[in-house]
Amino acid sequence: MKEEQRSLLLQSSSLFSPPQGVKLSYGTAGFRADASILRSTVHRVGMLAALRSLQTRSVVGLMITASHNKVTDNGVKIVDPSGGMLSQEWEPFADQLANAQTPEALLSLITEFVEKERIPFDGLQSAEILLGRDTRPSGESLLEVAKQGISSIFGAIALDLGILTTPQLHWMVRARNKGKPATEPAYFEQISSSFRCLVDLIPNETESNKMDNTVVVDGADGVGGEKLEVLKNMLTGLVIEVRNTGKDGGLLNDGVGADYVQKEKVVPRGFGSNDVGIRCASFDGDADRLVYFTVPTNSSSKIDLVDGDKILSLFAVFIKEQLSILTKEGNENPNNNSQARLGVVQTAYANGASTDYLKQLGLEVIFTPTGVKHLHEKAAQFDIGIYFEANGHGTILFSESWLSWLEARNNELSLASAGSEQQKAALRLLSVSKLINQAVGDALSCLLLVEAILHHKGWSIQKWNELYQDLPSRQLKVKVVDRTAVTTTNAETIAVSPPGIQEAIDAETAKHLKGRCFIRPSGTEDVIRVYAEASTQEAADSLADSVAKIVDRFLGFGSSKQ
Ligand code: 16G
Ligand code: MG
């Protein structure tokens, strides 16, 4: 490394001291903490992003957000050139960088890493980083800090894209590296025009005109609401009313948003007895999660939740149906290699009833640990892979090779049988691949796909919700002395350590009809999470309760005194 570069790194990093007494970890979704202690971390992630861009010789992204967490928190994460999450191989280095105690320690980590990874670090190679942030008040100054980190690497350029949803930034990084327009107008244009195609292809006989074409969306007082206000004006045939846009003084994620709605199962702020029966949806703070809900009665704040598992099921039903139209008998094309491998990916949090339903549809269902990066990786192994977390984060991935086949097939059909059912199915699938954000789960694009499918099928939200009935479930969290004491296997369904805990959980689970229960250390909070499912709500509550006590007995603060 050149001497000028060394001294620039030393000088720049001496401006920011890492937080004392806190060990930061890149976790499931980047670094996240109280915004006041994040400056040094964000600065170093700026450097990290520049190194990643140099190594991959591609554009990467850096997003400042803490998603569904409280407004005083913030966070930072890197978007890889593919538009996905930072390669997991780089996470340990990210942790080391964030926790280095002195500028000298930081410099030697970087020197070592650059050599090991053979990163072209001569100032000749250029690096480019697209920057985005959500609406948090701390975002602007943290973004400036990220720029300083980036500019301490020779040849690195930061392009500030201002306020964006997390999925917009992922989309733009992906588009840029494919040589396509990577601007916000291009994003809105692509998703609104593919939505329009899907609506134009709705069969005439569908009773969708009888359907209510209004959806009311809770924007979590975050960035999603404000972007949806722009997008909605580009759509026809769909009326979107946005509440909690953040413009009317509401506090981000405070009693609003997808995380709140999904976990508490009550109406978000701004919704209530006037909304009985209406189709409602909720985004999280950075708009990468979407759940739907309805208010069943005006006498309580309880909602009927339509979660990520049901969105996944709706998508799976539609895709499967279109695939079968496309491959229908009577198709004289000998080269009809359209048997796409369609698969779905879930985590242990998926409601057991959803998994049964998807298997009944004849689909291959795969489980991974929690966290988008794990689901995404598995879904990418299919021709069409649909993944969702129950919390509402998910998308559909189409393989490049299958998409090229589909495009060619569509061209053939448009010559031989334009306007046929088969060609319409091909066009619908192509439109889905353009509407859906293939970089990451995206509340805006998933909302439009849900709406298009409901209209296509002429389904109300109630009808959609009846695809299957959720098993009652309960989630709890337990504060423990050291959450890393819990390690798991089999997509987090079995606790390997501490010894004996899984046996205790099994014994408790066996007492409940249709009981299922697992524990895992949170990747974003200092707690152990407990998930329980059973045939009745009382049983799910009692199972979760007993297992929380087991966790406390093995690992809680009481246990350390024994
Ligand atoms: C993050 C993850 C989300 C996961 C959640 C689990 C991303 C983009 N987000 O929000 O997928 O469900 O963490 O949180 O990966 P937990 O580990 O605290 O339960
Ligand atoms: Mg989020």
Side-chain angles (χ1 to χ4, degrees):
M1 193 187 298
K2 290 201 180 111
E3 194 44 47
E4 301 98 294
Q5 173 67 85
R6 294 173 68 85
S7 54
L8 178 59
L9 280 170
L10 280 174
Q11 183 205 345
S12 172
S13 50
S14 66
L15 301 173
F16 303 95
S17 331
Q20 296 304 303
V22 192
K23 192 160 184 297
L24 292 155
S25 157
Y26 196 80
T28 31
F31 293 109
R32 227 168 252 188
D34 190 274
S36 62
I37 64 163
L38 271 175
R39 291 173 71 79
S40 135
T41 313
V42 168
H43 184 251
R44 291 166 183 200
V45 173
M47 297 175 178
L48 183 69
L51 294 176
R52 185 74 185 147
S53 171
L54 284 176
Q55 194 217 28
T56 56
R57 295 179 151 78
S58 303
V59 175
V60 304
L62 185 154
M63 182 74 196
I64 307 277
T65 177
S67 183
H68 54 282
N69 295 98
K70 58 182 189 292
V71 68
T72 46
D73 283 356
N74 216 331
V76 57
K77 60 180 166 188
I78 291 180
V79 181
D80 242 13
S82 63
M85 305 287 165
L86 173 69
S87 160
Q88 288 173 57
E89 285 164 19
W90 275 48
E91 286 182 16
F93 178 58
D95 290 351
Q96 288 173 345
L97 271 196
N99 294 301
Q101 283 307 304
T102 61
E104 290 74 21
L106 184 74
L107 180 62
S108 82
L109 277 171
I110 293 179
T111 314
E112 210 178 287
F113 189 71
V114 160
E115 263 168 41
K116 187 173 125 247
E117 295 287 323
R118 298 170 193 271
I119 298 176
F121 206 63
D122 44 20
L124 300 175
Q125 172 83 23
S126 61
E128 187 175 341
I129 298 93
L130 307 187
L131 303 180
R133 63 178 175 96
D134 69 17
T135 52
R136 282 159 206 275
S138 57
E140 195 169 359
S141 79
L142 284 175
L143 197 119
E144 289 307 316
V145 172
K147 285 184 195 165
Q148 280 177 265
I150 291 168
S151 58
S152 65
I153 306 280
F154 284 156
I157 298 161
L159 189 63
D160 182 356
L161 301 175
I163 294 179
L164 293 176
T165 71
T166 300
Q168 280 183 316
L169 183 69
H170 284 262
W171 187 94
M172 288 175 198
V173 170
R174 183 171 188 268
R176 253 310 283 282
N177 287 312
K178 282 174 169 281
K180 295 189 180 153
T183 59
E184 189 171 74
Y187 167 88
F188 283 137
E189 171 53 32
Q190 179 165 325
I191 68 173
S192 60
S193 62
S194 40
F195 173 76
R196 219 170 296 129
C197 285
L198 282 172
V199 171
D200 289 345
L201 288 162
I202 291 176
N204 290 334
E205 65 270 21
T206 302
E207 299 195 355
S208 68
N209 43 352
K210 284 198 193 148
M211 234 191 97
D212 189 354
N213 66 351
T214 303
V215 56
V216 186
V217 182
D218 155 32
D221 283 316
V223 58
E226 100 180 34
K227 299 298 179 189
L228 187 58
E229 290 280 7
V230 181
L231 178 64
K232 74 177 203 186
N233 296 325
M234 303 174 72
L235 309 169
T236 46
L238 177 63
V239 179
I240 302 180
E241 184 193 330
V242 194
R243 299 190 193 157
N244 305 329
T245 57
K247 297 243 162 67
D248 35 22
L251 194 62
L252 174 71
N253 296 333
D254 184 36
V256 291
D259 195 60
Y260 175 78
V261 166
Q262 190 239 349
K263 297 231 169 78
E264 306 297 327
K265 301 198 175 85
V266 295
V267 285
R269 178 173 18 90
F271 289 72
S273 49
N274 287 339
D275 301 312
V276 173
I278 292 176
R279 191 162 72 251
C280 303
S282 197
F283 291 178
D284 77 334
D286 63 340
D288 66 352
R289 292 191 194 174
L290 167 73
V291 295
Y292 272 75
F293 65 93
T294 52
V295 185
T297 71
N298 55 15
S299 57
S300 106
S301 61
K302 287 254 172 283
I303 54 160
D304 281 342
L305 176 72
V306 184
D307 64 2
D309 302 336
K310 269 218 173 109
I311 300 177
L312 165 61
S313 303
L314 182 74
F315 288 179
V317 165
F318 183 72
I319 300 270
K320 195 164 180 285
E321 185 179 280
Q322 297 310 311
L323 281 174
S324 77
I325 299 175
L326 189 63
T327 58
K328 247 206 314 258
E329 284 302 313
N331 179 356
E332 58 296 337
N333 178 14
N335 185 24
N336 187 7
N337 177 28
S338 54
Q339 287 306 332
R341 222 182 128 221
L342 170 63
V344 297
V345 187
Q346 300 191 302
T347 72
Y349 286 110
N351 196 281
S354 76
T355 310
D356 289 345
Y357 175 78
L358 292 161
K359 286 186 174 161
Q360 258 173 39
L361 285 182
L363 293 169
E364 197 173 332
V365 185
I366 290 187
F367 285 87
T368 72
T370 302
V372 174
K373 57 194 174 192
H374 302 296
L375 291 113
H376 192 96
E377 188 180 312
K378 281 285 179 238
Q381 295 170 0
F382 293 96
D383 290 323
I384 306 177
I386 315 177
Y387 71 83
F388 258 91
E389 291 190 315
N391 62 27
H393 187 115
T395 191
I396 309 176
L397 303 183
F398 291 81
S399 75
E400 293 284 343
S401 60
W402 195 76
L403 268 187
S404 328
W405 175 85
L406 181 62
E407 260 156 28
R409 183 76 188 119
N410 179 49
N411 289 342
E412 275 169 24
L413 288 167
S414 65
L415 290 175
S417 57
S420 66
E421 281 312 305
Q422 280 175 357
Q423 199 218 345
K424 285 185 186 161
L427 278 175
R428 285 187 194 112
L429 289 165
L430 281 173
S431 301
V432 172
S433 77
K434 292 186 185 121
L435 169 53
I436 205 78
N437 187 333
Q438 292 194 54
V440 78
D442 182 338
L444 290 166
S445 86
C446 283
L447 178 90
L448 295 195
L449 184 54
V450 167
E451 291 298 316
I453 299 177
L454 290 179
H455 282 77
H456 178 99
K457 298 190 87 61
W459 283 1
S460 64
I461 185 168
Q462 289 78 10
K463 172 107 180 146
W464 168 27
N465 201 19
E466 281 162 12
L467 280 182
Y468 59 82
Q469 204 183 351
D470 277 326
L471 278 168
S473 67
R474 176 66 60 208
Q475 284 196 54
L476 293 175
K477 50 186 178 184
V478 187
K479 281 211 181 296
V480 294
V481 177
D482 174 15
R483 71 180 149 141
T484 63
V486 173
T487 59
T488 64
T489 185
N490 272 9
E492 303 179 321
T493 51
I494 293 171
V496 181
S497 68
I501 200 164
Q502 186 59 48
E503 288 73 8
I505 296 171
D506 289 344
E508 209 47 54
T509 308
K511 294 181 192 162
H512 298 85
L513 189 63
K514 295 203 173 176
R516 184 169 74 90
C517 185
F518 66 90
I519 61 168
R520 56 176 280 277
S522 159
T524 62
E525 270 183 81
D526 202 9
V527 295
I528 296 296
R529 297 205 192 279
V530 176
Y531 176 89
E533 209 172 82
S535 59
T536 64
Q537 192 60 55
E538 295 67 38
D541 290 351
S542 115
L543 177 55
D545 236 31
S546 320
V547 171
K549 290 202 178 92
I550 293 174
V551 173
D552 190 55
R553 195 168 78 226
F554 275 76
L555 300 156
F557 290 90
S559 67
S560 57
K561 293 190 208 110
Q562 283 163 18

